Amino acid sequence: MAINNSNDSSLQDLDRVEPSLEVDSNSLEDNRQTTTRVKIRIPKEYHQEPVISRLVSHYGVTVNITGALLGPNAREDGWFDLELRGTSRQIESALTYINELDLEIWGSSKPEVDGW
């Protein structure tokens, strides 16, 4: 009786472990769209800055302006009533940006999660 010392590929395959696909429920929630409403005060020194535009272009949120008071020749602070729509992570990043600008936020609502 002969002993086969050659490497049998079927035996090598037994040692391999295929990665399993696990679904992380947190990652699913990260992709769900949420909506939050904020009112922000825009100091006069920011009147020429594209604050709202950056929320869209840099942070990927959809912005619905539901109210505003900011004139082209305004000498005082203005305000925006905004509805922000995006993932929780996008909205959190957008609100962090607003805080970093040191803009006052009034009446931030809790994010509403779309669901069935």
Side-chain angles (χ1 to χ4, degrees):
M1 183 156 112
I3 297 176
N4 185 358
N5 288 332
S6 66
N7 289 336
D8 186 356
S9 65
S10 63
L11 291 177
Q12 290 175 346
D13 289 342
L14 291 176
D15 292 335
R16 292 186 191 155
V17 177
E18 293 295 321
S20 62
L21 178 62
E22 293 182 20
V23 177
D24 181 8
S25 62
N26 289 334
S27 66
L28 292 177
E29 289 177 13
D30 288 343
N31 292 327
R32 293 187 74 184
Q33 294 290 304
T34 62
T35 301
T36 191
R37 194 144 179 201
V38 295
K39 294 177 184 175
I40 60 172
R41 183 181 60 84
I42 306 291
K44 59 185 173 186
E45 57 268 13
Y46 281 104
H47 286 192
Q48 299 301 316
E49 295 294 319
V51 174
I52 305 299
S53 176
R54 286 187 182 135
L55 292 174
V56 176
S57 63
H58 292 197
Y59 302 98
V61 296
T62 301
V63 177
N64 183 24
I65 302 171
T66 58
L69 178 61
L70 182 67
N73 297 322
R75 294 183 182 166
E76 301 296 322
D77 297 345
W79 64 270
F80 282 96
D81 187 352
L82 305 175
E83 184 179 87
L84 305 177
R85 184 169 181 82
T87 64
S88 295
R89 186 170 288 163
Q90 288 171 320
I91 290 174
E92 184 178 320
S93 295
L95 292 174
T96 299
Y97 163 70
I98 292 170
N99 280 325
E100 287 173 351
L101 292 177
D102 203 24
L103 301 180
E104 187 176 348
I105 299 175
W106 301 323
S108 178
S109 70
K110 293 182 181 179
E112 301 169 10
V113 178
D114 286 347
W116 294 98

